[in-house]
Amino acid sequence: MRLLFIFALFTTLASTSQAASFDCSKATKPVERMICETGSLSTLDEQLAGAYKSTIKTSRPATGTDTSELLKSSQQRWLRTTRDACKNVQCLENAYVGRIAFLTQWNEDTPANSKLDGNYEFSHNMEFANGKHAIVQDCLAIKSLGNAQAQVNTILVQSNGHNCSLNGKFAMAGNVYSYLPEKGEHDFQNCQIKLTVKQHQIVLSAEGDGCSSRCGAQASFANGASFLRADKSKKACVAD
């Protein structure tokens, strides 16, 4: 009987250490131990990890803009501010179910007639020429004007802190906004800038030879950008 008990205990510990998407034998946070000790949470954690990996693989949608860094930043923030803040199983189950839905909707178009007016940001780490690092913010502001048009201001912080900004009108067609160059804007003759609105993100993409020269040698719209729709900043984005 003693040998059977020891074997059963070893089997239980072994299966527990393999639960969830991480090594439970190395769990240090209370929330991690709760996940490892609760079967339903372990299953949800594995499902979340699968959804995250799948979404990362498809984070370069038809717009051509890579949104993987935005997704990674969003996931890290969710772990820190939502999952790790839970104190009980029900809170964690709700958090996981909501996050899995968020990930599966990542590349889905926004529903028709969604209200988009507001200020959005994406924080990212910037390395400067002197070797120093700093957290900088790309920002985007949208204000509907009527007649299927919107005023859009955006500032992208790029190589060595150089900015690329745009302040102008966009034509709306479904979930795609297209920039309407003003007369005399010759640097946009060969650059088409679009905003594609997804369920949880807004993706800026640019196509054409002129996109690389719009803002100088160290900044451009050529690589596109992305913004979390949940990142509504209190300070408006004001382009030059």
Side-chain angles (χ1 to χ4, degrees):
M1 291 294 294
R2 180 179 174 83
L3 289 175
L4 287 174
F5 173 78
I6 293 175
F7 176 76
L9 178 62
F10 175 80
T11 303
T12 301
L13 291 175
S15 61
T16 301
S17 66
Q18 295 174 357
S21 65
F22 55 90
D23 188 347
C24 285
S25 66
K26 298 180 180 179
T28 56
K29 298 178 180 180
V31 69
E32 292 175 340
R33 291 195 290 269
M34 197 185 313
I35 291 169
C36 292
E37 294 167 359
T38 309
S40 60
L41 291 178
S42 293
T43 299
L44 284 170
D45 190 74
E46 291 175 344
Q47 291 174 350
L48 178 73
Y52 178 71
K53 290 178 181 178
S54 176
T55 305
I56 279 287
K57 289 180 180 178
T58 59
S59 60
R60 188 175 177 84
T63 59
T65 298
D66 188 347
T67 62
S68 60
E69 289 303 316
L70 180 68
L71 182 58
K72 290 175 184 177
S73 175
S74 171
Q75 187 73 358
Q76 291 168 357
R77 182 180 304 172
W78 177 82
L79 288 169
R80 184 177 66 254
T81 64
T82 301
R83 190 200 72 168
D84 292 356
C86 283
K87 305 298 182 183
N88 55 61
V89 171
Q90 187 61 58
C91 176
L92 279 171
E93 287 183 345
N94 292 339
Y96 269 91
V97 169
R99 188 62 183 180
I100 291 170
F102 177 97
L103 292 171
T104 55
Q105 295 171 346
W106 182 251
N107 283 319
E108 291 183 3
D109 292 341
T110 188
N113 302 319
S114 295
K115 293 183 178 180
L116 303 177
D117 287 20
N119 306 310
Y120 305 88
E121 290 184 348
F122 171 47
S123 300
H124 54 99
N125 193 326
M126 173 68 63
E127 181 177 1
F128 293 86
N130 59 9
K132 292 185 178 180
H133 290 255
I135 300 298
V136 298
Q137 288 80 35
D138 294 340
C139 64
L140 178 76
I142 300 177
K143 182 179 181 180
S144 298
L145 299 175
N147 297 321
Q149 290 189 0
Q151 182 72 29
V152 175
N153 298 345
T154 185
I155 302 175
L156 309 183
V157 184
Q158 299 182 331
S159 178
N160 206 32
H162 289 263
N163 291 345
C164 196
S165 62
L166 175 65
N167 181 351
K169 294 180 180 179
F170 280 65
M172 299 182 291
N175 71 315
V176 177
Y177 288 32
S178 300
Y179 180 60
L180 301 172
E182 295 182 359
K183 293 181 179 180
E185 286 190 305
H186 301 295
D187 45 2
F188 276 117
Q189 288 182 351
N190 297 312
C191 180
Q192 292 77 47
I193 298 177
K194 294 183 179 180
L195 298 176
T196 304
V197 184
K198 300 294 184 178
Q199 288 274 21
H200 301 292
Q201 59 174 319
I202 297 178
V203 182
L204 184 153
S205 58
E207 184 178 358
D209 297 337
C211 301
S212 298
S213 59
R214 171 66 172 84
C215 299
Q218 299 190 58
S220 76
F221 289 108
N223 294 327
S226 51
F227 309 85
L228 275 176
R229 295 192 65 194
D231 285 351
K232 295 189 176 181
S233 63
K234 295 180 181 180
K235 183 179 179 181
C237 177
V238 180
D240 297 332

